[in-house]
Amino acid sequence: MKASKVKYPDQADQGRLNVELAERNMGALMQVRKRFAKERPFHGLTIGMALHVTKETAVLVRTLRDGGARVVITGCNPLSTQDDVAAALAQEEGVEVFAHRGESKDEYYAFLRDVVMSKPDITIDDGCDLVTEIHQNSPELLESIIGGCEETTTGVLRLRAMVKAGMLKYPVVAVNDNKTKHLMDNYYGTGQSTLDGLLRAANLLFAGKTLVVIGYGSCGKGVALRGRGMGANVIVAEVDAFCALQARMDGFRVMPLSEAVKEGDIYVTVTGNVHVIDWQHILAMKDGAVLANSGHFDNEINMKALEEHSDSKRRVRPCLDEYTVHGKNIFVAGEGRLVNLAAAEGHPSEVMSLSFCGQALACEYLVKNRGKLAAGVVTLPEQVDDEISQLQLKAMGLKIDCLTDEQRKYLTSWEHGT
Ligand code: ADE
């Protein structure tokens, strides 16, 4: 008996159309699905997932299910679930879904418990909440879990903190560390989808505006690049000396946020850290400034301070709130949650195909190496990353050159110099 909890079951037809559209653009993952359907690597296993419930995630869910798994999924952010997709998934054979957009914190954790109750053999996380929930509240499951997969930088940071504290009790693949993930999804995906979120939330013109990007990791680099592409003057604020140098060499202005606040029209946080836009920054901002966060958690902008100390607040439109602060208006997109998923549809399917090939192949790797991997953070072998690139090239109809025997030999020799 299927026990899904979704909010709008009648939206399933629209959800299926969206999933089909995503499948058209996820050719690499579709090749993996075809192989999985033949080989059934997950026969008899339950895969528990806490991932944004989007049309792209649905393509991953179908891929794992066709590989033989029972898939039980909840969201990993209260504002990112696409309800039509959740409805469509709930009707799929072998899939259970617990998610709706706008769920409360209590509902979020109740749904996470629903996934835990399915006794997963493999976990897939985006942000490490499922791993944390199991370790803290269902340690009896730890023994039988084959392993887990983690999608995002923030989740990998949490996992490494667990390792340091001696707390992580099963192997978890850091899918984020694949080249085909963090150098593609974080860069091209976050770059495009963050601007998409800001455009849908506030219908802004970027040309001629000053865009302050806080954090210049792969995500920040993508946001800065696309912001410049839309005609914005980009300022980067960083705490890491090397990343700050990279931003400068890439042609952006670099300065502390305390100075950038005098100029910025639009702010995007992409740091994975807490309160990077704090109350004193907000007080110094220009009237009309628009704030958005594209990091995993909603604590990069100090929303609590804004809620408590602003003089008034009104919802201007679904994903845009206006706060009055000492006579100025400050706008926040997507309630300070991931703006690309709260106000738009997340990364486009093409880029998620690469990330989710990483998830699918990581699950297969865990099963193939069952009992052989130590508890801790696992990096996939380079060949898997390479296989993903090859699949994507094939899906795009692109061919590349091969090394000759002479070149292969040269690369592994040392005798010949100048
Ligand atoms: N993270 C960012 N974009 C996403 C998407 N489209 N689906 C799932 N997770 C995402």
Side-chain angles (χ1 to χ4, degrees):
M1 173 66 185
K2 294 221 314 167
S4 292
K5 294 174 191 158
V6 297
K7 198 153 191 181
Y8 302 106
D10 54 327
Q11 293 184 4
D13 286 344
Q14 179 59 58
R16 264 187 297 277
L17 287 170
N18 278 331
V19 178
E20 275 175 37
L21 183 65
E23 283 175 341
R24 284 188 65 84
N25 293 319
M26 297 178 83
L29 187 59
M30 295 301 279
Q31 292 170 68
V32 174
R33 182 189 293 177
K34 213 166 159 189
R35 179 167 69 75
F36 279 4
K38 265 194 232 137
E39 299 175 5
R40 309 275 291 171
F42 310 121
H43 177 72
L45 299 179
T46 297
I47 299 182
M49 301 172 68
L51 223 65
H52 302 293
V53 181
T54 64
K55 60 190 186 304
E56 290 76 25
T57 300
V59 181
L60 173 64
V61 168
R62 285 179 168 181
T63 301
L64 300 172
R65 187 271 320 273
D66 287 2
R70 167 193 177 212
V71 182
V72 185
I73 179 168
T74 184
C76 62
N77 182 299
L79 278 189
S80 65
T81 295
Q82 294 165 3
D83 284 316
D84 59 333
V85 171
L89 277 176
Q91 291 184 358
E92 296 261 332
E93 194 68 34
V95 180
E96 286 144 76
V97 194
F98 303 91
H100 65 82
R101 184 183 162 90
E103 61 204 25
S104 67
K105 196 165 177 177
D106 285 349
E107 284 170 322
Y108 179 88
Y109 278 96
F111 290 157
L112 208 55
R113 289 300 306 160
D114 284 322
V115 174
V116 174
M117 299 298 274
S118 74
K119 297 198 173 80
D121 300 288
I122 294 174
T123 59
I124 301 183
D125 252 312
D126 185 333
C128 196
D129 281 347
L130 185 53
V131 165
T132 305
E133 178 65 26
I134 291 171
H135 279 71
Q136 286 180 333
N137 297 321
S138 291
E140 71 284 359
L141 298 183
L142 292 169
E143 187 76 7
S144 63
I145 290 179
I146 299 170
C149 307
E150 171 54 54
E151 170 79 2
T152 199
T153 317
T154 293
V156 174
L157 278 175
R158 288 179 81 187
L159 288 169
R160 293 202 194 283
M162 287 178 82
V163 172
K164 203 161 172 211
M167 291 302 294
L168 185 61
K169 302 295 180 199
Y170 62 81
V172 184
V173 178
V175 173
N176 183 69
D177 292 358
N178 291 355
K179 274 191 297 202
T180 48
K181 201 283 180 177
H182 70 275
L183 296 180
M184 291 277 153
D185 165 317
N186 301 22
Y187 185 60
Y188 301 106
T190 307
Q192 178 167 321
S193 63
T194 298
L195 265 62
D196 186 9
L198 271 160
L199 291 171
R200 294 196 206 194
N203 194 20
L204 293 167
L205 178 71
F206 274 75
K209 295 267 170 52
T210 298
L211 166 67
V212 181
V213 179
I214 307 156
Y216 202 68
S218 296
C219 294
K221 287 181 175 75
V223 174
L225 177 81
R226 295 305 177 217
R228 175 160 63 191
M230 297 273 284
N233 299 305
V234 178
I235 296 175
V236 171
E238 247 300 342
V239 292
D240 180 277
F242 181 73
C243 290
L245 212 46
Q246 278 186 309
R248 185 67 191 149
M249 300 290 180
D250 285 341
F252 299 116
R253 294 165 71 204
V254 175
M255 63 183 77
L257 184 56
S258 54
E259 285 178 31
V261 286
K262 296 174 201 151
E263 295 190 46
D265 300 301
I266 308 164
Y267 295 81
V268 177
T269 53
V270 253
T271 67
N273 215 331
V274 65
H275 296 172
V276 292
I277 293 185
D278 218 336
W279 181 239
Q280 79 271 13
H281 299 121
I282 293 169
L283 283 176
M285 285 175 186
K286 296 196 300 190
D287 179 41
V290 179
L291 279 50
N293 164 52
S294 229
H296 185 78
F297 286 118
D298 61 338
N299 54 8
E300 301 209 14
I301 301 170
N302 190 344
M303 293 300 298
K304 191 161 178 278
L306 198 48
E307 290 287 336
E308 281 174 10
H309 303 316
S310 59
D311 304 316
S312 63
K313 172 189 175 185
R314 50 182 191 155
R315 176 141 295 184
V316 181
R317 42 199 258 152
C319 291
L320 194 69
D321 293 321
E322 178 196 66
Y323 292 85
T324 307
V325 177
H326 296 191
K328 290 183 294 192
N329 292 326
I330 303 291
F331 294 88
V332 177
E335 299 178 20
R337 295 194 182 276
L338 280 161
V339 71
N340 56 351
L341 282 141
E345 291 174 75
H347 304 346
S349 308
E350 289 90 335
V351 91
M352 292 315 295
S353 181
L354 291 165
S355 314
F356 287 165
C357 274
Q359 291 288 358
L361 296 179
C363 288
E364 185 184 40
Y365 181 79
L366 287 168
V367 173
K368 281 190 172 158
N369 291 282
R370 187 176 190 158
K372 291 188 217 149
L373 301 167
V377 178
V378 177
T379 307
L380 285 179
E382 242 181 80
Q383 299 93 287
V384 178
D385 229 349
D386 192 46
E387 182 187 343
I388 297 169
S389 298
Q390 297 283 0
L391 288 169
Q392 181 74 8
L393 285 173
K394 190 170 167 203
M396 295 166 84
L398 297 176
K399 293 199 171 94
I400 59 171
D401 294 316
C402 289
L403 291 174
T404 63
D405 288 344
E406 182 194 18
Q407 289 168 338
R408 208 182 309 279
K409 200 164 156 210
Y410 179 79
L411 288 176
T412 52
S413 67
W414 57 272
E415 294 90 345
H416 305 291
T418 308

